[in-house]
């Protein structure tokens, strides 16, 4: 018999940075959301912002292990599965590389099987790291990347590449309707102050008046997308009729050097700290910028929040956070 219960959206990694924003947006649109998270790298405060909301439920579980009955028993209600479950910053994913690889491969397979059982649409959040230290600039989806498959970042880079391969095998066998998003650097409120990402670390160090640490000479480039724009893109991709056999770059095509980003943060915060330079980590990409032509044409999407506005919002949020928990200020930036 058909269930009269409302449809359910599963967000794996829903207590994390982007995941918590996604859950919030889906709940605001009237959906029921099941957040699945092992709380390994997420913040308890992100979960507290969601708990108590109408339509929200939480299951603590690790997707590396078989999914619990609290999830699978509701398969008849599930219509969408978002997979955002994986540590995303280098210090976090390198802390337990085996678990990072298994999350991307075994965990993705468990969620794909859930989507197959439910007849649900599945979205994998992949990463710009599949391009490695790119020889093609800007990066287009057809570029196959230049990745060190045995280096310290391989657990994440190759793990995401394997997750994509697995997802597209499910597409080719017509088992699951899949969408694959290749996410470029994203920032905004609810980031972990000590996650090792360049935006959070620069802002937190500047707000505390500490010396600001930059790896390399600061000439390496990144593109930074504000989190509300990224969430909008993910939902558009999930609900689109785009061909599931192609990944889609999601990010801001405005390119900044890390040095330029530091200058903007310094100007916004009025910090008295000095710039300290350290050696560039192994396999750190020299340039990173998405070609978002596919997203523009097939999703009607492009970032709307300028970097200045996004940084101001993020600085204000971190200032409030650090006023409550000052010991969260990181020692060094990625």
């Amino acid at each position: 018999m058909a269930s009269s219960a409302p449809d359910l959206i599963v967000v794996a990694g829903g207590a994390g940075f982007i995941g918590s924003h996604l859950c919030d947006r889906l709940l605001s649109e009237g959906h029921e959301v099941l957040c699945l998270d092992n709380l390994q790298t997420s913040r308890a405060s992100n979960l507290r912002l969601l708990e108590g909301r109408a339509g929200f439920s939480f299951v603590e579980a690790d997707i590396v292990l078989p999914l619990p009955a609290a999830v699978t028993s509701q398969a008849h209600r599930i219509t969408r599965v978002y997979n955002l479950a994986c540590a995303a910053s280098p210090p976090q994913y390198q802390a337990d590389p085996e678990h990072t690889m298994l999350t991307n491969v075994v965990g993705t397979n468990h969620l794909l099987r859930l989507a197959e059982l439910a007849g649900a649409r599945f979205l994998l959040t992949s990463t710009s790291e599949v391009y490695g230290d790119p020889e093609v600039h800007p990066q287009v989806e057809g570029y196959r990347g230049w990745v060190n498959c045995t280096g310290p970042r391989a657990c994440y880079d190759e793990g995401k590449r394997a997750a994509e391969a697995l997802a597209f095998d499910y597409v080719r066998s017509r088992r699951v309707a899949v969408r694959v998003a290749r996410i470029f650097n994203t920032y905004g409120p609810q980031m972990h102050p000590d996650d090792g990402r360049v935006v959070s670390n620069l802002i937190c160090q500047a707000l505390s008046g500490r010396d600001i640490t930059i790896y390399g000479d600061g000439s390496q480039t990144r593109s930074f997308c504000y989190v509300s724009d990224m969430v909008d893109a993910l939902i558009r991709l999930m609900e689109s009729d785009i061909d599931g056999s192609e990944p889609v770059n999601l990010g801001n095509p405005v390119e900044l050097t890390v040095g330029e980003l530091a200058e903007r943060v310094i100007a916004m915060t009025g910090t008295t700290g000095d710039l300290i330079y350290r050696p560039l980590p192994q396999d750190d990409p020299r340039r990173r910028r998405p070609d978002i032509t596919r997203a523009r044409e097939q999703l009607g999407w492009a970032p709307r929040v300028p970097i200045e506005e996004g940084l101001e919002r993020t600085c204000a949020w971190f200032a409030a956070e650090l006023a409550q928990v000052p010991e969260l200020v990181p020692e060094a930036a990625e």
Side-chain angles (χ1 to χ4, degrees):
M1 295 179 62
S3 172
S4 59
D7 294 342
L8 183 64
I9 296 176
V10 173
V11 180
F17 164 47
I18 299 177
S20 60
H21 282 274
L22 176 61
C23 287
D24 176 70
R25 169 76 178 272
L26 293 170
L27 290 167
S28 296
E29 293 179 352
H31 299 288
E32 288 207 11
V33 175
L34 189 159
C35 169
L36 178 64
D37 204 300
N38 68 355
L39 304 180
Q40 180 184 31
T41 59
S42 57
R43 302 187 68 207
S45 57
N46 289 351
L47 193 57
R48 287 196 296 269
L49 291 171
L50 299 168
E51 289 177 329
R53 297 274 300 276
F56 179 77
S57 59
F58 172 68
V59 174
E60 183 175 353
D62 192 329
I63 63 169
V64 169
L65 304 174
L67 299 180
V71 177
T72 57
S73 64
Q74 301 189 72
H76 61 286
R77 297 179 53 207
I78 297 170
T79 59
R80 301 286 187 268
V81 177
Y82 287 88
N83 181 12
L84 291 85
C86 186
S89 72
Q92 290 178 339
Y93 65 65
Q94 291 176 25
D96 190 347
E98 177 186 3
H99 188 266
T100 297
M101 178 65 78
L102 293 176
T103 298
N104 282 316
V105 181
V106 176
T108 295
N109 194 51
H110 284 151
L111 292 174
L112 280 163
R113 290 188 176 187
L114 175 66
E116 181 181 24
L117 175 66
R121 188 173 292 184
F122 178 89
L123 187 147
L124 171 68
T125 55
S126 185
T127 173
S128 59
E129 298 299 329
V130 300
Y131 299 121
D133 187 8
E135 298 171 297
V136 171
H137 191 80
Q139 290 78 62
V140 295
E141 290 91 345
Y143 174 53
R144 297 183 180 181
W146 192 41
V147 175
N148 180 354
C149 63
T150 60
R153 301 170 71 107
C155 59
Y156 185 72
D157 301 3
E158 294 289 14
K160 287 293 189 180
R161 287 160 70 96
E164 286 194 17
L166 186 62
F168 290 133
D169 281 336
Y170 271 73
V171 172
R172 281 185 284 269
S173 60
R174 299 185 178 182
R175 295 170 65 182
V176 177
V178 165
R179 308 289 185 267
V180 174
R182 288 180 177 167
I183 294 179
F184 284 66
N185 291 61
T186 306
Y187 72 101
Q190 294 167 226
M191 297 180 76
H192 199 298
D194 195 20
D195 68 359
R197 302 186 199 196
V198 64
V199 172
S200 54
N201 285 349
L202 289 178
I203 291 175
C204 290
Q205 288 179 334
L207 288 171
S208 68
R210 295 187 185 183
D211 290 340
I212 296 175
T213 311
I214 295 179
Y215 287 109
D217 61 5
S219 64
Q220 66 270 34
T221 69
R222 298 291 185 268
S223 59
F224 300 99
C225 185
Y226 192 68
V227 65
S228 61
D229 283 330
M230 183 57 64
V231 167
D232 181 52
L234 291 174
I235 294 175
R236 284 175 182 246
L237 178 57
M238 176 66 94
E239 300 306 321
S240 74
D241 292 327
I242 194 169
D243 183 352
S245 63
E246 296 181 334
V248 180
N249 284 341
L250 299 179
N252 193 332
V254 176
E255 185 178 8
L256 292 175
T257 68
V258 171
E260 289 170 337
L261 176 66
E263 290 174 2
R264 296 190 184 203
V265 170
I266 289 170
M268 285 184 182
T269 60
T271 182
T272 57
D274 296 324
L275 289 175
I276 303 296
Y277 294 88
R278 294 184 179 178
L280 197 66
Q282 182 181 342
D283 300 328
D284 194 71
R286 294 162 296 176
R287 302 189 73 183
R288 186 57 56 75
R289 176 189 169 198
D291 182 312
I292 62 167
T293 300
R294 184 172 292 173
R296 289 181 187 275
E297 293 180 349
Q298 301 194 32
L299 305 180
W301 176 86
R304 300 171 60 185
V305 179
I307 185 69
E308 293 81 6
E309 181 181 341
L311 284 177
E312 287 176 356
R313 294 181 192 175
T314 307
C315 284
W317 184 83
F318 272 119
E321 285 290 294
L322 296 178
Q324 299 179 47
V325 193
E327 62 268 22
L328 288 175
V329 179
E331 294 294 334
E334 177 190 6

